[in-house]
Amino acid sequence: MSETQLHWYALDPLDVLLFRESKPFSPGEGSWAKGLFPPMPTTIFQALRSALPYASDKVRNLQFLGPFLLDEHDTLWLPTPKDLLATGQSDPNADLDTTPEDNFKEKVRGDKYSRLQPVEGDPWKSIGWDEQKLPPLVPPSLQKGEYIKGRPYPWMRASALGAYLEGSLPQTGDFAEDPWDTQVLPHIDIRPDTRQVKDEAGYFTEVATRLRWGWRLAAAISARIPTTTVRLGGEGHRALVTPLENWDPGIDWERFRQGTGRVAYLLTPGLAQPEADPRLYQAYPSRWQPYLAGCATDRALLWGGISAIKRQGSERSDFALLPQRAFIPAGTVYRFKEDPPPLRQLVGNPCAQSQTFESLNYGTLLWGIVK
């Protein structure tokens, strides 16, 4: 990110957004097309690149970072680290036996946040796990009357993430829930001169995303783009692109990317590497195994789809499936027991497109500490 200057833009959807999941989809059986939001970096990159003049559209060395979320106050929100836990303190004066369950939240004091910890000490000596794999990360010791409420909201202020990487714990106001709603869009094709749906390819549904008022996407690209509209997602829906001039994202990207520490936070989806035997994706490079003390992550994102290709010597486009890849979700956190190998991105070298993954800053790692 330091080699090329990135210019930031806000993308304000002018309609619902359609980003289908990677599963091959066709009407008829299996006619429900799920949505994926936020979209993968490639999707937003291609939308921004389409706004460049034709001569610049063929440039191959463009850099990109995003997408993230931006609220009505131009505050940047990033994926919440997945090793954070929200804990609460029950009210000792509350009669929990007679208090209605619906009112229980009113008897809880303000949230406090802590980090999952590597397994240490006697309490875990009777718990078994595969010694060939990573040990689990576990909750810290709780005080009397304290209990685990679960994970915090999935989005964190960029400034709070910077403090988190410096070893500080966030506050309640540093988090936000998913600022969008889903909308199911049915598509029905009726037989001519009847009121009956066609037997084949007559009905399917899609799941669209509608951002709430004031919320937008934010992304950066190494090119100047004036205020304009671009096509974003399916069905020809568009978004207004606005430059963010003299804007402070609230976090020093380069400092934390080039920094050192025993905590690595995944800023953007990283390309997962399959093991040779068995051919299973995992959330960390195999060469990290000796160094890792634990990993906090979610199920991988699968990305692929349907395309059309032209065979050599043929004028006809044939149906083809794009290779499906697994991406480690943003917000994944790695805990190291000793200094890790010098790896700045989780992209590996699995295919000829690895350079594209690098230039679009897939798998960007930010490094931090635990106090």
Side-chain angles (χ1 to χ4, degrees), residues 157-180:
R157 297 178 190 271
S159 56
L161 179 65
Y164 161 89
L165 293 170
E166 292 175 335
S168 301
L169 292 173
Q171 305 298 317
T172 301
D174 293 331
F175 299 98
E177 61 181 339
D178 288 336
W180 65 80

Side-chain angles (χ1 to χ4, degrees), residues 148-312:
I148 297 174
K149 297 181 68 175
R151 284 184 175 180
Y153 284 136
W155 296 95
M156 176 189 275
R157 297 178 190 271
S159 56
L161 179 65
Y164 161 89
L165 293 170
E166 292 175 335
S168 301
L169 292 173
Q171 305 298 317
T172 301
D174 293 331
F175 299 98
E177 61 181 339
D178 288 336
W180 65 80
D181 300 299
T182 57
Q183 181 175 342
V184 177
L185 304 178
H187 299 262
I188 300 175
D189 194 0
I190 302 295
R191 296 176 185 173
D193 302 324
T194 71
R195 300 183 64 181
Q196 302 296 319
V197 178
K198 290 182 177 179
D199 292 335
E200 296 182 3
Y203 176 81
F204 68 95
T205 57
E206 296 176 297
V207 179
T209 302
R210 187 182 295 275
L211 278 170
R212 294 173 186 165
W213 182 88
W215 286 88
R216 298 156 288 167
L217 293 169
I221 192 172
S222 59
R224 291 286 188 179
I225 300 174
T227 300
T228 185
T229 60
V230 295
R231 180 174 174 175
L232 184 62
E235 305 296 335
H237 296 162
R238 305 187 72 81
L240 176 66
V241 177
T242 307
L244 294 170
E245 301 291 352
N246 301 317
W247 175 71
D248 181 10
I251 186 171
D252 188 345
W253 309 101
E254 202 57 38
R255 173 192 168 195
F256 292 115
R257 190 179 189 191
Q258 300 299 329
T260 58
R262 295 190 178 181
V263 174
Y265 163 85
L266 188 60
L267 178 66
T268 53
L271 187 60
Q273 299 301 307
E275 291 299 298
D277 186 26
R279 296 287 293 179
L280 297 176
Y281 288 105
Q282 62 183 27
Y284 56 91
S286 57
R287 56 177 162 158
W288 276 10
Q289 178 80 35
Y291 306 92
L292 278 172
C295 172
T297 189
D298 279 338
R299 182 178 297 179
L301 303 172
L302 297 180
W303 193 246
I306 299 175
S307 182
I309 61 173
K310 281 189 176 181
R311 307 290 182 184
Q312 186 174 3

